[in-house]
Amino acid sequence: MGYNKEDNDGLVIEQNSTPKVDESLEKDISEQSLSEGIEQPSQGVASLMGKDIDSLKAALGEPSRVDLSAYGFHWWIFNKQPDQYIQAGVFNGKVVTAFGIGSSVNVQPFKIGQHIEEIFSMNVIEPDVTFEYNGSSYKFELSEQDMNTRPIIKMGEYFVQLYIDKFTSSVSSIRYMDKETIVKQRPYEMVYRGSLIEPPVLSEGDWVRIEAGLEKQILDITNAIRIRHELPSLEWHEKTAEVAYAHSKDMAIEDYFSHESDKYGDLSERLKAAEILYQLAGENIAANYTDGPAVVEGWLNSESHREALLNEEFTHLGVGVYQRHYTQNFLKMWEEPQQ
């Protein structure tokens, strides 16, 4: 069984990542009167779903960069203003998923910062989400924790996933997905009947590109969250990113999950070996999350990891991703003496 995990001092999320075949599912779906949920808005991030590349550029301009994902689509990154951060996933020339975070992002009919009670009072949010796609039947089963921190709502032929900051009981960010994408990503326990859509088989070269993109996305999303909390942005620190990457790779290859490596020691020892000078350092680690947005929102909802994300003393960040293992190393650098 696969599972998401973070180091304990904090949250541990477990979820079955192996889909189960359910012979009764087709009957269950055919007997239900399935609500189409909310209507797709004509403006904002939700309106991008299904649009072609020309329409995407007309709405958001040229992307800052384009990152490969592990699910076959490319993330178009729009990060010129952290309070308007958007990732749009493009597959076969169409927007199949989108993610928005920042107080100025238009996520109609919702709002970043909106209280969860308001959302639950205005929308029907169920623990089971069922649908058909290309002749197959699928059902996602949300746990109580899923319902409280990342509920999902139908939006016509698409889905809206709300990331909830449990410490403020408000919307932190929003992700939109089409049916094929949500089946590939499998963010919840899933049962199905028919054919299973699998993510693409990835080469070593693919992973190098994916990891580089994830590292920058984690920096961008971390800064969007810090700005929301009126904290200064963190600067990228390449040598620290190399230390973080080495730790993620070591955890994956040696099959352990800890801040301390048998070979390379704890964070202070790893930074010392890399000859990195600093005043203060911190580390977040995680494994088996879907992607960058998911892992940062997971850290935000864990008290000890949240403290690192929102520590006002940190000035720099290095992120290292090795396949499904993630490491954030935070630093407060020595200030240059004034002349």
Side-chain angles (χ1 to χ4, degrees):
M1 182 175 77
Y3 54 93
N4 295 341
K5 58 186 177 183
E6 299 157 6
D7 53 303
N8 254 340
D9 306 286
L11 175 71
V12 175
I13 306 172
E14 295 193 7
Q15 72 178 48
N16 189 356
S17 62
T18 304
K20 297 173 289 187
V21 178
D22 188 343
E23 295 296 335
S24 66
L25 183 55
E26 188 174 77
K27 180 180 178 182
D28 289 344
I29 290 181
S30 65
E31 290 181 352
Q32 290 183 38
S33 175
L34 295 179
S35 167
E36 291 303 312
I38 62 175
E39 293 185 5
Q40 183 178 3
S42 60
Q43 297 181 335
V45 180
S47 70
L48 300 175
M49 294 298 296
K51 296 291 180 65
D52 60 23
I53 289 175
D54 289 340
S55 298
L56 176 61
K57 289 182 178 180
L60 300 179
E62 292 289 337
S64 299
R65 65 177 189 273
V66 176
D67 298 337
L68 180 62
S69 82
Y71 302 97
F73 60 83
H74 285 79
W75 280 120
W76 288 40
I77 308 297
F78 302 89
N79 67 352
K80 292 182 175 65
Q81 298 186 37
D83 66 339
Q84 298 180 30
Y85 181 83
I86 295 172
Q87 297 183 194
V90 176
F91 183 67
N92 288 338
K94 301 288 184 181
V95 177
V96 298
T97 183
F99 171 81
I101 186 170
S103 58
S104 299
V105 176
N106 182 343
V107 289
Q108 293 183 21
F110 307 100
K111 294 180 181 179
I112 302 296
Q114 187 174 10
H115 200 277
I116 188 61
E117 285 186 3
E118 182 180 343
I119 290 172
F120 272 81
S121 69
M122 297 174 63
N123 299 274
V124 177
I125 300 178
E126 300 287 351
D128 294 341
V129 176
T130 56
F131 61 94
E132 292 185 334
Y133 180 66
N134 283 353
S136 296
S137 305
Y138 303 92
K139 178 168 70 173
F140 286 103
E141 301 172 339
L142 280 67
S143 66
E144 182 178 353
Q145 182 162 307
D146 292 333
M147 293 285 288
N148 291 331
T149 60
R150 49 189 194 128
I152 193 164
I153 299 171
K154 285 186 176 181
M155 185 180 74
E157 291 297 305
Y158 304 112
F159 298 94
V160 184
Q161 186 180 42
L162 305 172
Y163 286 106
I164 306 300
D165 182 339
K166 71 178 185 181
F167 292 90
T168 62
S169 299
S170 63
V171 176
S172 176
S173 61
I174 293 184
R175 185 197 299 255
Y176 306 88
M177 293 170 280
D178 69 3
K179 291 178 178 179
E180 183 171 332
T181 300
I182 197 171
V183 173
K184 285 180 181 177
Q185 293 190 334
R186 301 199 272 274
Y188 312 98
E189 288 198 26
M190 187 180 81
V191 296
Y192 72 99
R193 189 174 190 275
S195 300
L196 183 62
I197 304 168
E198 295 285 3
V201 176
L202 301 170
S203 68
E204 187 174 336
D206 290 335
W207 273 116
V208 170
R209 293 174 58 198
I210 292 164
E211 292 158 358
L214 287 168
E215 290 166 359
K216 296 298 174 63
Q217 291 165 35
I218 290 170
L219 171 71
D220 289 338
I221 296 167
T222 296
N223 279 335
I225 290 172
R226 287 176 65 87
I227 287 171
R228 182 166 72 214
H229 289 268
E230 300 181 346
L231 296 168
S233 297
L234 302 174
E235 294 183 35
W236 182 260
H237 195 268
E238 183 61 32
K239 286 187 69 176
T240 303
E242 293 170 5
V243 171
Y245 177 81
H247 188 60
S248 290
K249 185 173 182 178
D250 187 49
M251 287 192 294
I253 292 175
E254 298 300 329
D255 193 23
Y256 73 96
F257 189 74
S258 172
H259 289 283
E260 188 162 353
S261 165
D262 289 341
K263 290 182 179 179
Y264 306 109
D266 61 16
L267 176 59
S268 63
E269 292 171 301
R270 287 181 266 123
L271 292 173
K272 182 179 180 180
E275 300 182 342
I276 297 172
L277 301 178
Y278 62 94
Q279 284 185 276
L280 182 68
E283 181 172 82
N284 285 340
I285 59 175
N288 297 335
Y289 276 82
T290 303
D291 57 15
V295 72
V296 178
E297 289 291 356
W299 282 325
L300 186 66
N301 267 337
S302 171
E303 187 170 1
S304 61
H305 305 87
R306 183 187 185 91
E307 289 175 0
L309 282 169
L310 302 181
N311 188 318
E312 63 182 7
E313 293 192 71
F314 289 138
T315 59
H316 291 73
L317 178 65
V319 182
V321 178
Y322 181 79
Q323 297 190 8
R324 301 294 183 182
H325 286 72
Y326 307 83
T327 301
Q328 274 187 315
N329 287 159
F330 299 86
L331 298 179
K332 177 183 179 182
M333 307 301 292
W334 286 104
E335 295 181 5
E336 293 292 334
Q338 296 183 349
Q339 300 297 323

